[in-house]
């Protein structure tokens, strides 16, 4: 196993570490502080998109100092592919109503924008007080649908990344930082 300059172990299926644990930690703290200030005096409902945003959401809510609830939605994803199917379907909806509530959708990465464009429209149609989007990663070069991202962690280049919740074929989610997956992993599968 390769060790990077920062002492991070590079998974054998990955090319390099793109964002280290320390960089993620600092960014999550900064986002938590901003959200706490922006929503002071209000109550928040953070909506994490399964499964990728689970780790980010878990860290982020612990940096928020105002009354906050969280829940999860699941939408159809890429499955075992590294490319978007372009179809978004709600697989698990919120168990509670959102009318009159301040919502922050928490996502791991915005890529084509299809998922969040569609999800934000859906939640906005349920009469919430507000809906904003928070994403750890933004890959703007591949955008198809516009997405207004209010809280953004890192802008990244057009490379397929895994770790800190992000997967390829449901693997690598438990890597502690963001790594670039070696293209040979998905090229071998003809993608
Ligand atoms: P979008 O609808 O194309 O914006 O896709 C967003 C979803 O695609 C994310 O929630 C991820 O599940 C997945 N995705 C996009 N790019 C990557 C990547 O580089 N690594 C892992 N998952 C990704």
């Amino acid at each position: 196993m390769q060790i990077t300059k920062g002492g991070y172990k590079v998974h054998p299926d990955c090319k390099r570490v793109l964002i280290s644990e320390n960089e993620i930690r600092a960014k999550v703290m900064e986002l938590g502080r901003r959200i706490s200030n922006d929503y002071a005096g209000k109550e928040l409902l953070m909506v994490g998109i399964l499964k990728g945003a689970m780790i980010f959401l878990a860290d982020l809510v612990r940096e928020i100092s105002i009354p906050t609830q969280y829940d999860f939605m699941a939408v159809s994803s890429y499955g075992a592919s590294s490319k978007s199917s372009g179809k978004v379907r709600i697989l698990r909806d919120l168990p509670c109503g959102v009318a009159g509530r301040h919502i922050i959708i928490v996502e791991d990465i915005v890529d084509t924008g299809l998922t969040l464009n569609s999800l934000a429209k859906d939640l906005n149609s349920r009469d919430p007080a507000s809906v904003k989007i928070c994403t750890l990663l933004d890959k703007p070069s591949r955008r198809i649908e516009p997405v207004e991202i209010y809280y953004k962690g890192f802008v990244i280049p057009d490379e397929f990344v895994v770790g800190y919740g992000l997967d390829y074929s449901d693997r690598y989610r438990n890597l502690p930082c963001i790594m670039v997956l070696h293209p040979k992993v998905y090229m071998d599968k003809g993608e």
Side-chain angles (χ1 to χ4, degrees):
M1 202 174 250
Q2 230 180 311
I3 309 281
T4 65
K5 278 188 194 145
Y8 300 95
K9 290 190 179 74
V10 180
H11 189 283
D13 290 348
C14 296
K15 284 204 288 193
R16 64 179 196 281
V17 171
L18 187 65
I19 306 167
S20 71
E21 283 165 286
N22 286 346
E23 288 170 311
I24 295 173
R25 201 172 300 125
K27 187 61 76 177
V28 169
M29 285 171 71
E30 179 196 317
L31 289 171
R33 266 196 306 271
R34 269 183 62 199
I35 292 172
S36 304
N37 287 336
D38 292 353
Y39 289 85
K42 297 175 179 147
E43 268 193 45
L44 256 182
L45 175 62
M46 312 276 286
V47 177
I49 309 306
L50 291 171
K51 301 178 201 176
M54 188 205 80
I55 293 177
F56 177 39
L57 179 76
D59 283 347
L60 184 60
V61 289
R62 285 178 286 178
E63 299 299 334
I64 293 178
S65 54
I66 57 162
T68 300
Q69 294 178 355
Y70 66 83
D71 218 307
F72 295 96
M73 288 178 82
V75 294
S76 54
S77 70
Y78 294 8
S81 166
S82 63
K83 297 200 184 89
S84 175
S85 63
K87 292 209 179 86
V88 174
R89 202 159 45 95
I90 294 178
L91 304 175
R92 180 198 193 270
D93 206 345
L94 290 170
C96 56
V98 301
R101 305 195 65 178
H102 293 284
I103 314 287
I104 296 183
I105 306 174
V106 180
E107 179 63 300
D108 51 359
I109 183 167
V110 182
D111 185 21
T112 63
L114 292 165
T115 308
L116 279 190
N117 183 285
S118 151
L119 206 56
K121 274 188 198 149
D122 185 287
L123 287 173
N124 266 310
S125 73
R126 304 184 196 186
D127 216 15
S130 65
V131 176
K132 287 202 166 108
I133 288 170
C134 173
T135 184
L136 179 68
L137 305 177
D138 181 18
K139 219 193 260 184
S141 54
R142 284 177 32 96
R143 198 74 90 249
I144 294 171
E145 294 283 347
V147 177
E148 197 184 332
I149 303 173
Y150 205 82
Y151 301 104
K152 185 185 299 189
F154 304 90
V155 176
I156 65 162
D158 183 11
E159 293 187 283
F160 200 83
V161 291
V162 293
Y164 197 70
L166 288 109
D167 75 307
Y168 171 70
S169 201
D170 227 12
R171 298 178 63 203
Y172 315 108
R173 292 191 196 276
N174 60 319
L175 299 178
C177 58
I178 305 289
M179 299 190 195
V180 178
L181 188 65
H182 207 294
K184 74 172 177 358
V185 176
Y186 45 90
M187 296 292 186
D188 288 351
K189 299 204 163 96
E191 287 172 29

